[in-house]
Amino acid sequence: MIRDSQEKILFLLLVTLVPASAWCAGPVRQEAIFYTISLPRISITNLDGTVLVRSWDKSQIHAGYLIGSPRIEIDTEQIPAKGDAEKVSLATHLLDPSLQGPQASVDYTLDVPLGSSLEIRNSQGIVRVEGIHGDAWVESVGGGITIIDTTGEVIARSIGGEIRIIHPAGYVEASSVTGNLELMSPASPSIRATTTSGRILYEGNPAAAAEYVMSSYNGDIDILCPPAASFELKARSVHGKLINQFPRFSRKHHHPSVSSYGNALFGTHNEGAATLEVTSFNGTIRISPQEQHSVDNLK
Amino acid sequence: MKEEENQELRSGSACARFAEDISAYLEGEDRPQLLSHAAACGFCQCMLADIQLIRSASAELMPEDPPLKVWANVRLALVEEGIIRSRHGFWRLPSLPSLLRPMPMAAAAVVVAVIILFKAPGVVVHPRVETPNVIHAAVFEQSYMRPQDLQSLKQTIQQLEGAYSANSTLLEPSLKTTYEKSLASLDDEIHECQAIMQEEPQDELTREYLSRAYIQKAQLLQSALDYNLR
């Protein structure tokens, strides 16, 4: 009789505790609001998961976190500690360092003031930043980075992930080792993009007096500009091909087989208002007229 | 018997003890074992020399904000190792003395490497681009590196590679794959450029690619060590 009771109690404990523990181990959603000045600096340090940052017209940060495990906490700090924050830092803190995979992941969703400057480290997850007028510095190891409609300086670096920068208006620096780089419709005065084995795609109408420098080692580089684009081109691929599909390109020099520089093309399209400097060691460089499709479709 | 003592001095546990004792030693406490180990272990000897050099050099430096990434990485490493449990903000930087308190060996290596790279002659840092990642900014500004600078950078990379090899098993598999793939890509570039440079030493474009590949490799290893210490 006693043994029966013990077994029933054990059974009941199992029935109630196992689902409870499973529920406890699941993702947890949290939210926080920080009242800020209009141009705050925001730092996010995450290990895995998505970081999405969007601008809005309020002087406050609304932060939502989807936390993969209760053994993770979000360290937050604002400076100054009272009143409107000038700086806000959010950092994923693993209480259990053995956590891996989805359990070590936190998804951040932030609405931030338009003038915010960002500093984001997200080792393995995707980062997406939209509509920020301050500077954005983003770094990832394997995650992709997408930055859209920014007017400040953008520095994006991912070792293995793809970097897409769409409609930037400020200085842009993008680099990856094995990831692809996409630069869509920039209005930036200056762009520097470099990758070792990824592909670089530039598509847009270079701003007047702009200087865009793109360099790869093994990766191909594609330059797509509208027929009305005005730019001076300095392109060379040491061991790769150079394919120019612009029909009305006034070539200053074209050396298809000069050994020290490989295939090179130095020329002017229309007035040559902007400068495009494109270099690849082994990759193919293609310069083509831009097809008619909206950049919005690429977002 | 003497050989056994030497083996003991060069063992991994001796390196761990070295890491534990180094801050006390730097603060003036007597640590004869630490010096014995440093005399027998090339890596720790180099580490000790570097830290002493940094300490003496830093005393002569004018107060200046260091790159944010250095402090962020050190802080992150210490927090994640459980050595500090600070809720300080990212922008509140630690003092130099706190940097010299007990820290994991690889964290020290990261700091040393960053400083070596930052101070390396020929590495130009564009003052306009004030990013937290100073080395990264330098990559784009670097167009030419003298042979002696390349040599110095290669030595730094060797140190970083040693630290990476010792710690790479701790990396999460997917991250390790990303790092190894990227390292392989950079190594291919380095080997190809080196081969070309041997035939055409005056090829400046190849030298430019080679310099950049070395710097990127140093950054990559540094990044992997940063992550390892999270």
Side-chain angles (χ1 to χ4, degrees):
Chain A
M1 182 67 181
I2 291 171
R3 194 175 169 187
D4 276 358
S5 301
Q6 283 176 336
E7 282 175 356
K8 282 176 185 169
I9 290 167
L10 187 63
F11 176 74
L12 278 171
L13 281 172
L14 282 171
V15 166
T16 53
L17 289 181
V18 168
S21 63
W23 177 81
C24 286
V28 180
R29 187 177 293 279
Q30 290 179 7
E31 291 186 11
I33 292 177
F34 303 88
Y35 293 92
T36 69
I37 60 171
S38 58
L39 307 171
R41 291 174 64 184
I42 302 163
S43 158
I44 302 165
T45 304
N46 192 28
L47 303 168
D48 199 353
T50 302
V51 174
L52 170 59
V53 182
R54 297 169 300 211
S55 66
W56 65 2
D57 57 2
K58 299 176 187 174
S59 287
Q60 60 179 257
I61 299 168
H62 175 256
Y65 324 114
L66 187 62
I67 305 170
S69 161
R71 286 171 290 168
I72 297 175
E73 67 178 24
I74 309 299
D75 289 347
T76 63
E77 185 184 37
Q78 72 166 68
I79 299 171
K82 290 185 178 175
D84 291 344
E86 295 169 14
K87 301 170 182 174
V88 173
S89 61
L90 311 170
T92 299
H93 177 208
L94 301 190
L95 300 172
D96 176 359
S98 68
L99 287 176
Q100 288 200 343
Q103 285 205 314
S105 130
V106 178
D107 291 339
Y108 286 78
T109 305
L110 271 73
D111 295 303
V112 303
L114 201 64
S116 302
S117 289
L118 305 173
E119 186 172 314
I120 302 172
R121 290 180 181 79
N122 192 22
S123 297
Q124 298 193 77
I126 291 167
V127 177
R128 186 177 171 102
V129 174
E130 294 178 20
I132 303 298
H133 285 190
D135 297 341
W137 183 91
V138 183
E139 185 179 75
S140 179
V141 175
I145 297 170
T146 302
I147 297 174
I148 303 171
D149 291 334
T150 51
T151 57
E153 186 173 293
V154 171
I155 312 283
R157 182 188 182 206
S158 179
I159 290 169
E162 181 173 280
I163 298 173
R164 304 179 77 216
I165 299 176
I166 300 169
H167 282 154
Y171 171 81
V172 171
E173 193 173 293
S175 77
S176 180
V177 178
T178 54
N180 297 332
L181 310 179
E182 284 188 18
L183 305 157
M184 312 302 294
S185 296
S188 305
S190 179
I191 293 177
R192 296 191 176 224
T194 182
T195 176
T196 299
S197 52
R199 174 194 180 217
I200 299 177
L201 170 63
Y202 164 81
E203 189 170 337
N205 189 353
E211 186 186 49
Y212 299 164
V213 179
M214 288 164 261
S215 171
S216 78
Y217 188 74
N218 281 327
D220 293 349
I221 303 179
D222 284 281
I223 307 291
L224 286 92
C225 296
S230 170
F231 61 93
E232 184 185 359
L233 180 72
K234 300 172 183 174
R236 59 181 170 176
S237 179
V238 180
H239 295 131
K241 291 179 187 170
L242 199 155
I243 302 166
N244 172 33
Q245 295 176 330
F246 264 99
R248 303 169 83 182
F249 211 101
S250 72
R251 296 174 182 185
K252 285 182 179 169
H253 312 283
H254 187 208
H255 307 286
S257 60
V258 177
S259 62
S260 53
Y261 291 107
N263 289 310
L265 173 58
F266 304 100
T268 303
H269 192 257
N270 292 329
E271 295 77 30
T275 303
L276 301 185
E277 194 175 321
V278 187
T279 314
S280 181
F281 205 81
N282 291 322
T284 296
I285 297 173
R286 291 180 209 88
I287 302 121
S288 320
Q290 189 176 20
E291 290 174 18
Q292 293 297 317
H293 62 260
S294 168
V295 172
D296 291 337
N297 293 335
L298 298 164
K299 290 183 186 178
Chain B
M1 184 64 184
K2 185 142 181 141
E3 182 56 31
E4 281 177 16
E5 280 176 14
N6 283 340
Q7 278 185 354
E8 163 61 21
L9 283 170
R10 289 193 296 263
S11 68
S13 59
C15 290
R17 275 202 302 280
F18 174 90
E20 285 169 11
D21 288 348
I22 192 163
S23 70
Y25 172 76
L26 291 167
E27 285 168 7
E29 292 183 25
D30 191 24
R31 289 287 189 276
Q33 280 186 326
L34 180 140
L35 291 174
S36 310
H37 172 67
C41 172
F43 185 87
C44 292
Q45 186 179 39
C46 186
M47 167 96 61
L48 181 61
D50 283 340
I51 292 176
Q52 284 175 326
L53 179 66
I54 291 163
R55 193 167 65 162
S56 62
S58 65
E60 296 166 11
L61 289 174
M62 295 292 288
E64 189 179 343
D65 280 348
L68 288 176
K69 186 166 191 262
V70 173
W71 303 120
N73 290 338
V74 171
R75 178 183 171 275
L76 195 63
L78 298 177
V79 169
E80 297 300 341
E81 287 283 310
I83 292 166
I84 59 170
R85 180 70 183 87
S86 163
R87 296 179 73 87
H88 283 183
F90 179 77
W91 290 275
R92 197 176 297 172
L93 306 178
S95 62
L96 189 61
S98 72
L99 194 71
L100 297 176
R101 291 199 185 105
M103 67 172 68
M105 185 172 292
V110 169
V111 177
V112 169
V114 169
I115 291 170
I116 289 170
L117 283 170
F118 186 45
K119 295 287 179 191
V123 176
V124 182
V125 179
H126 200 297
R128 191 180 67 79
V129 185
E130 292 178 2
T131 73
N133 188 341
V134 174
I135 301 172
H136 182 231
V139 168
F140 293 102
E141 303 307 326
Q142 182 64 44
S143 59
Y144 178 79
M145 205 179 259
R146 295 172 301 170
Q148 60 267 38
D149 300 334
L150 277 180
Q151 194 56 38
S152 164
L153 191 54
K154 273 194 266 187
Q155 285 172 358
T156 302
I157 288 171
Q158 279 175 353
Q159 286 182 338
L160 289 169
E161 279 181 318
Y164 174 78
S165 301
N167 292 282
S168 63
T169 50
L170 300 172
L171 278 172
E172 205 174 65
S174 62
L175 268 182
K176 192 177 174 188
T177 305
T178 302
Y179 279 116
E180 308 250 309
K181 187 180 168 193
S182 299
L183 280 170
S185 182
L186 288 170
D187 282 338
D188 286 348
E189 181 177 351
I190 288 168
H191 292 146
E192 189 176 354
C193 288
Q194 280 175 332
I196 293 169
M197 290 291 296
Q198 277 186 343
E199 290 181 9
E200 297 179 55
Q202 304 306 318
D203 186 338
E204 290 192 8
L205 182 64
T206 305
R207 181 183 295 279
E208 201 176 307
Y209 271 100
L210 182 60
S211 301
R212 196 162 58 187
Y214 273 132
I215 293 171
Q216 281 187 308
K217 186 171 177 182
Q219 287 183 305
L220 196 74
L221 291 164
Q222 176 201 329
S223 161
L225 289 167
D226 289 352
Y227 192 84
N228 236 5
L229 293 166
R230 74 188 171 89

